[in-house]
Amino acid sequence: MTKTVEKTDALDLERKFSKIKPLLKSYEASVEASRCLFCYDAPCINACPTSIDIPMFIRQIMSRNVEGSAKTIFTQNILGKSCGQVCPTEVLCEGACVYNAMNEKPIEIGRLQAFATDYAIKKNIRFFSKGKKTDKKIAVIGGGPGGLACAHELTRLGHEVTVFESAPNAGGLNTYGVAPYKYSNKESQEEINYISQIGFEIKTNHKIDSKSLSELEKKYDAIFLSIGLGKSNKLNIPGENLKGVYGASEFIHELREKEQKITVGKNIIVIGAGNTAIDATVETSKLGANVTVVYRRTEKEQRAYYFEVDLAKVHSARFMYLTTPIEILGKEKVEGLKCIKNNLKFEPIKGSEFVIPCDMIISAVGQEKMVDFYKNISGLKIDSGKVIVNKDFQTSNLKYFAGGDCVNGGKEVVNAVSHGRDAARGIDRFLMEKVSS
Amino acid sequence: MPNLESNFAGIKSPNPFWLASAPPTNTGYQVMNAFKAGWGGAVWKTLGQPIVNVSSRYGALSYKSTRMMGLNNIELITDRSLEVNLKEMKEVKEKFPNHALIASMMFEKKEEWHDCIKRCEDIGVDGFELNYGCPHGMCERGMGSAVGQNPDVCEKITSWVTEKATKPVIVKLTPNISDITKPALAAQRGGANAVSLINTINSVTGINLDTMDPNPTVSGLSTHGGYCGPAVKPIALNMVSELTNHPDFKLPISGIGGVETWQDAVEFFLMGASTVQVCTAVMHYGFRIVTDLIEGTSGYLDSHKMHSVGELCGITAKKLKKWEELDLNYKVIAHIDPEKCIGCQLCYIACEDGAHQSISVIPGQRVPMIKEDHCVGCNLCSLVCPVDTCISMVKIETGKSKITWKDHPANPLAKVKAF
């Protein structure tokens, strides 16, 4: 039995999109913290792209020094709160926890990290301040996690920083990309306010084009590119322009912007089996749709993490593997998806075409790289759409540094944070060495 | 099935698991519930002259998320009248004639002792326990540990009791003394039929760091209290063994101090106790824990083809010797099972910073390596390892015969040179 999703009332939405990993209570946090073995040269630290001293911050929670714990986290990762909640901890820190080798539940590092950082943000306990003024000005293009981390670190080092963000709000993926049952708009905004009060400016609704870019080049001593990725990739099959066909990142952007107060179809097909595809699957399922995931290869090849796929299955999503979409059917509006079955070599099986009726399609087969934008920057070397940087995150155009998705092609929030932080140090070395020599 | 029935210095009970004189034996209601649950005996909350208790009486030591590793109290003896206590004790004895009911007592004057002994015997108690151990409050009035700490007084008061009592007399000893054998032998000289130990240890469990008040706080102040619970067991085991091994000490021992599981009880038996008394574990979990004590002890006896607790009595105490009698040529070294190792490297850092720098780590490899030619066999790594049986201490055949310090060439006072 299905029914068209009407505007679900706010309370119901709140319940459906409540945190899958709720904030720990103080007592829960100390019980969990006391389980930590305090490993030497702990594998969890090595598994964290920002190398947070995890055993130490957990020990500080155990000794009820939550403020000190937050400081330990923020010293390495100023976006420690969102990372604690949106990181795929199962394959990072928690995946490396030695308890796994004992067949015991790993320490809930992500939730402990969220607990400590939430404490500091709610109480607005500030650990860092603006460094001694250097008279250097840096523009950060893109106010996502990488840009914010870079801007914060640069400000600590004494530079004057302006962040340019094209969207109405900063935060990037944290605000417009990750699943709302992991991180809410409110939390993202609180985190941005907490970080930026160190003293850098964020200009939102400020899209940078070729003209404004050349102005930035004149006005600023260095520019950090943290522009992420572009639009969702096209499927390149007939019928793609029909009403009811969405790109996954655009769909999620709208969902986040409207705080889930949107109407979706009743029978939805999600194409692709990466983490974004699964996010869209779970989100639309929560909004009441029957969702079918169509993927051309098998469960083994799918890029989504196993725990994300499990979550989709809990939400009754149906998975059709070895299935390639070949045509979107419909007059004005999408009415079905014509597919063909593949063999185990992923080759289409002749005559196996079939149609899945649907009223909405979300295509989640990756995002475009921002190659058009890169054309505006002289001498900028790119490889398969990714900006090439050295270990200081400096590009082939020495004025430009870059980090995050535009460098790694699209990874986790925590990778972007690590890039942003380290790029800031690279920028500082570059600008200050010039001063001293 | 082994027979758990106990005859302790003439006091008979269905099993050797008694409740210690403490809050769980405050009332007839509690003791009857305890007997129903399966406890073999109960030492009633100490009878004495009227007292008033403070509110806020207990403080505890918790370790990480483990609650009440140690408990302390500043509660005194019973705060109910002797008449009420005797009436309830009589009811208990009538309903449970085969269970051991022991009256704990604490008085100042000989006449008071004699009066209470008579009244207790009239209602049918099975024995007496003299509270010479309470380390707080009562000792300020010359009772409790003030008696237990002075062997002459201990002997004298014991003799007051034994000259009057027709039922067996147990003297409860305080551990707040440097040589436990002194008051124990004094009790023996005074005619006691048995001893029980340990009573609680002087302690302050902690401080509220917000107010800087000591725990448990009584309107901002506190006093040192009596410490008990799992944390005190090692101290109790040692003291019990000291009595067991003393050539002149002949009385049966009731072991007290941190008994919670059957393993704890068996350890006390192996050290020479023939009954055990329990308090903190019941204050934590209730009377129902006795099921595990009974079942576990029976199973242990079965697995060792033994028929009674008496067969365990003192086996391990005999293995406790002076340090100078230990074999200095006995050698073990640590062995890490790489299959079981989870790579926490706690053994490495414990050895490196806290012991003998005998473990190395190889970059990129989580399983540490024992420097076998360097390892002194101290056991520390095997103690910190969170995985059962991952680090074992393996005996090394040195080919050398046993040598003790008495005979060791490094000992300037050695009588015989080894070589």
Side-chain angles (χ1 to χ4, degrees):
Chain A
M1 290 282 286
T2 59
K3 62 180 198 302
T4 311
V5 179
E6 300 297 338
K7 278 196 180 139
T8 334
D9 63 79
L11 210 69
D12 192 36
L13 265 186
E14 207 175 289
R15 185 180 56 78
K16 282 183 178 156
F17 284 88
S18 63
K19 284 276 170 65
I20 47 169
K21 289 182 184 174
L23 204 62
L24 291 167
K25 294 188 180 72
S26 175
Y27 178 71
E28 293 172 316
S30 38
V31 170
E32 185 61 10
S34 67
R35 290 177 61 230
C36 176
L37 294 173
F38 201 58
C39 294
Y40 177 76
D41 185 21
C44 53
I45 304 178
N46 297 323
C48 173
T50 57
S51 308
I52 295 171
D53 189 345
I54 294 165
M56 186 56 74
F57 93 68
I58 293 179
R59 194 169 186 80
Q60 287 168 305
I61 293 175
M62 186 188 79
S63 72
R64 315 250 166 156
N65 178 11
V66 185
E67 182 174 329
S69 175
K71 186 179 179 185
T72 302
I73 298 161
F74 286 141
T75 300
Q76 284 299 103
N77 180 337
I78 194 65
L79 280 96
K81 184 174 177 200
S82 47
C83 288
Q85 288 172 277
V86 311
C87 263
T89 52
E90 293 87 341
V91 294
L92 295 174
C93 51
E94 292 173 19
C97 178
V98 296
Y99 270 132
N100 292 297
M102 270 169 99
N103 282 326
E104 270 206 43
K105 193 167 83 74
I107 303 293
E108 291 203 67
I109 299 168
R111 292 180 77 194
L112 287 170
Q113 185 170 310
F115 168 79
T117 48
D118 179 75
Y119 176 90
I121 291 177
K122 289 261 168 68
K123 286 191 180 302
N124 199 22
I125 303 166
R126 295 169 61 179
F127 302 107
F128 310 103
S129 52
K130 213 168 185 168
K132 193 169 163 263
K133 209 167 167 23
T134 61
D135 291 324
K136 297 287 177 193
K137 290 167 77 177
I138 296 121
V140 171
I141 306 179
L148 291 170
C150 184
H152 184 267
E153 187 67 15
L154 285 169
T155 311
R156 272 181 79 183
L157 293 166
H159 307 296
E160 199 183 317
V161 186
T162 309
V163 178
F164 297 93
E165 168 59 51
S166 61
N169 289 300
L173 276 181
N174 282 345
T175 308
Y176 295 109
V178 301
Y181 41 83
K182 289 179 185 164
Y183 211 51
S184 70
N185 297 24
K186 185 169 164 267
E187 282 174 300
S188 181
Q189 199 52 55
E190 280 168 359
E191 183 177 41
I192 295 158
N193 295 343
Y194 177 77
I195 296 169
S196 61
Q197 65 185 332
I198 191 172
F200 62 84
E201 194 188 355
I202 305 175
K203 288 188 170 167
T204 52
N205 289 314
H206 212 106
K207 198 171 167 68
I208 300 297
D209 54 20
S210 60
K211 191 166 155 254
S212 46
L213 194 62
S214 59
E215 278 166 26
L216 292 189
E217 284 183 8
K218 282 180 217 137
K219 222 172 136 190
Y220 291 90
D221 299 289
I223 297 170
F224 179 62
L225 297 173
S226 48
I227 55 175
L229 300 173
K231 289 182 198 144
S232 295
N233 282 331
K234 291 276 177 208
L235 290 165
N236 297 322
I237 57 174
E240 205 162 353
N241 296 323
L242 286 171
K243 240 178 109 186
V245 181
Y246 297 84
S249 53
E250 291 77 14
F251 168 74
I252 293 170
H253 189 283
E254 191 188 339
L255 174 102
R256 289 295 309 262
E257 197 163 41
K258 296 183 176 163
E259 297 196 285
Q260 296 84 253
K261 291 181 196 75
I262 60 169
T263 307
V264 297
K266 61 178 178 180
N267 292 306
I268 299 179
I269 294 174
V270 172
I271 301 169
N275 289 309
T276 308
I278 301 299
D279 279 354
T281 302
V282 175
E283 286 155 0
T284 48
S285 298
K286 281 179 184 291
L287 289 169
N290 295 315
V291 188
T292 305
V293 177
V294 167
Y295 178 53
R296 64 198 166 100
R297 289 186 257 199
T298 75
E299 204 161 358
K300 257 192 238 161
E301 286 82 20
Q302 67 192 358
R303 287 182 56 195
Y305 298 121
Y306 67 92
F307 48 89
E308 298 287 0
V309 174
D310 287 349
L311 184 67
K313 288 178 179 168
V314 165
H315 284 81
S316 307
R318 187 161 64 133
F319 284 76
M320 298 188 75
Y321 294 107
L322 294 169
T323 303
T324 302
I326 49 178
E327 187 183 352
I328 298 172
L329 309 173
K331 287 187 188 109
E332 277 174 33
K333 219 179 152 293
V334 56
E335 286 165 24
L337 181 68
K338 189 172 179 186
C339 301
I340 189 161
K341 295 297 285 180
N342 296 332
N343 63 20
L344 283 169
K345 290 175 187 162
F346 317 131
E347 300 152 348
I349 304 167
K350 258 189 189 166
S352 70
E353 293 87 349
F354 66 105
V355 173
I356 315 169
C358 65
D359 51 13
M360 182 170 167
I361 288 176
I362 299 174
S363 121
V365 291
Q367 279 172 267
E368 289 174 3
K369 313 282 192 303
M370 305 287 271
V371 275
D372 286 344
F373 183 83
Y374 300 143
K375 285 175 191 155
N376 300 320
I377 302 167
S378 69
L380 187 74
K381 279 193 190 155
I382 54 171
D383 177 25
S384 332
K386 294 184 246 182
V387 180
I388 298 175
V389 293
N390 66 15
K391 63 177 173 38
D392 272 348
F393 294 88
Q394 191 168 26
T395 71
S396 49
N397 179 327
L398 300 187
K399 190 163 195 145
Y400 283 87
F401 290 69
D405 284 357
C406 63
V407 165
N408 61 30
K411 281 194 176 171
E412 306 300 338
V413 167
V414 67
N415 299 103
V417 172
S418 148
H419 283 188
R421 179 197 69 192
D422 295 345
R425 292 168 190 171
I427 294 167
D428 181 67
R429 270 192 291 274
F430 173 68
L431 295 179
M432 300 319 282
E433 267 165 27
K434 265 209 267 180
V435 171
S436 56
S437 59
Chain B
M1 249 329 242
N3 183 3
L4 289 185
E5 276 175 33
S6 164
N7 185 342
F8 180 78
I11 303 171
K12 290 181 180 156
S13 60
N15 63 49
F17 308 116
W18 295 0
L19 291 174
S21 173
T25 60
N26 219 2
T27 64
Y29 171 78
Q30 288 167 287
V31 173
M32 285 193 267
N33 278 340
F35 287 167
K36 276 184 226 160
W39 291 90
V43 187
W44 202 271
K45 175 93 175 169
T46 305
L47 308 172
Q49 289 299 325
I51 58 97
V52 175
N53 268 313
V54 290
S55 177
S56 178
R57 302 172 193 181
Y58 310 135
L61 179 76
S62 298
Y63 181 73
K64 296 190 177 177
S65 56
T66 301
R67 293 274 161 177
M68 265 173 52
M69 287 279 298
L71 175 71
N72 103 344
N73 80 89
I74 56 169
E75 186 174 294
L76 303 184
I77 59 174
T78 183
D79 50 15
R80 307 184 320 148
S81 74
L82 187 58
E83 289 67 33
V84 171
N85 279 310
L86 288 171
K87 180 176 158 285
E88 292 182 11
M89 288 162 82
K90 188 164 179 274
E91 283 169 19
V92 170
K93 208 51 226 177
E94 281 165 5
K95 282 195 179 141
F96 295 89
N98 299 321
H99 287 64
L101 184 69
I102 291 110
S104 171
M105 301 187 296
M106 183 196 287
F107 290 99
E108 261 187 288
K109 300 192 185 84
K110 190 175 176 178
E111 304 76 55
E112 293 167 349
W113 286 100
H114 283 191
D115 176 59
C116 190
I117 290 163
K118 178 165 189 320
R119 294 173 74 176
C120 287
E121 289 196 348
D122 286 348
I123 56 112
V125 299
D126 300 294
F128 298 101
E129 188 180 79
L130 316 187
N131 184 343
Y132 293 171
C134 216
H136 51 272
M138 301 312 285
C139 53
E140 295 168 17
R141 307 177 201 179
M143 292 178 272
S145 60
V147 177
Q149 284 165 343
N150 186 331
D152 291 339
V153 182
C154 171
E155 181 181 342
K156 189 170 97 187
I157 297 180
T158 306
S159 68
W160 290 351
V161 174
T162 54
E163 73 184 31
K164 174 77 178 171
T166 64
K167 296 286 183 183
V169 174
I170 307 163
V171 167
K172 186 166 179 177
L173 301 172
T174 176
N176 297 308
I177 187 163
S178 47
D179 183 355
I180 195 70
T181 62
K182 296 279 187 331
L185 290 166
Q188 184 172 278
R189 286 195 301 275
N193 304 94
V195 295
S196 57
L197 71 164
I198 58 174
N199 206 313
T200 56
I201 304 171
N202 271 331
S203 65
V204 175
T205 43
I207 297 168
N208 178 329
L209 293 183
D210 295 328
T211 60
M212 300 189 192
D213 294 342
N215 291 334
T217 175
V218 180
S219 187
L221 305 177
S222 193
T223 187
H224 66 266
Y227 194 48
C228 54
V232 310
K233 187 182 77 176
I235 297 165
L237 287 176
N238 175 53
M239 288 188 164
V240 169
S241 77
E242 284 186 295
L243 295 190
T244 304
N245 287 337
H246 196 285
D248 299 331
F249 185 77
K250 309 289 181 200
L251 303 180
I253 299 168
S254 185
I256 312 172
V259 177
E260 177 173 321
T261 65
W262 66 267
Q263 287 102 327
D264 302 325
V266 168
E267 285 178 321
F268 273 93
F269 299 144
L270 289 168
M271 282 305 190
S274 38
T275 61
V276 290
Q277 298 185 27
V278 180
C279 164
T280 310
V282 165
M283 291 181 72
H284 200 159
Y285 302 109
F287 297 128
R288 61 205 164 116
I289 60 164
V290 74
T291 308
D292 168 64
L293 288 167
I294 293 169
E295 301 276 321
T297 305
S298 299
Y300 182 80
L301 290 171
D302 267 344
S303 67
H304 286 78
K305 306 205 174 358
M306 291 181 179
H307 305 95
S308 72
V309 165
E311 288 176 69
L312 295 170
C313 192
I315 289 176
T316 307
K318 293 192 188 79
K319 298 183 182 184
L320 280 164
K321 301 288 181 189
K322 284 182 174 174
W323 184 88
E324 63 173 19
E325 292 172 62
L326 302 179
D327 182 5
L328 295 168
N329 277 341
Y330 173 75
K331 169 99 174 141
V332 289
I333 58 171
H335 173 78
I336 301 174
D337 182 346
E339 294 297 309
K340 289 182 181 159
C341 177
I342 59 169
C344 70
Q345 298 190 351
L346 285 176
C347 57
Y348 164 74
I349 199 63
C351 187
E352 185 68 13
D353 289 358
H356 301 94
Q357 300 80 48
S358 303
I359 302 182
S360 48
V361 284
I362 297 147
Q365 194 178 308
R366 288 307 299 178
V367 182
M369 299 266 287
I370 304 289
K371 299 181 202 164
E372 294 192 352
D373 52 347
H374 209 261
C375 174
V376 303
C378 75
N379 295 341
L380 181 63
C381 54
S382 69
L383 301 176
V384 299
C385 179
V387 184
D388 252 4
T389 69
C390 171
I391 300 184
S392 44
M393 303 306 296
V394 181
K395 188 169 182 253
I396 297 301
E397 289 308 332
T398 56
K400 295 178 192 165
S401 55
K402 175 176 174 175
I403 186 165
T404 66
W405 178 243
K406 278 188 277 188
D407 304 323
H408 200 278
N411 180 359
L413 301 174
K415 290 179 193 122
V416 188
K417 288 279 172 198
F419 305 107

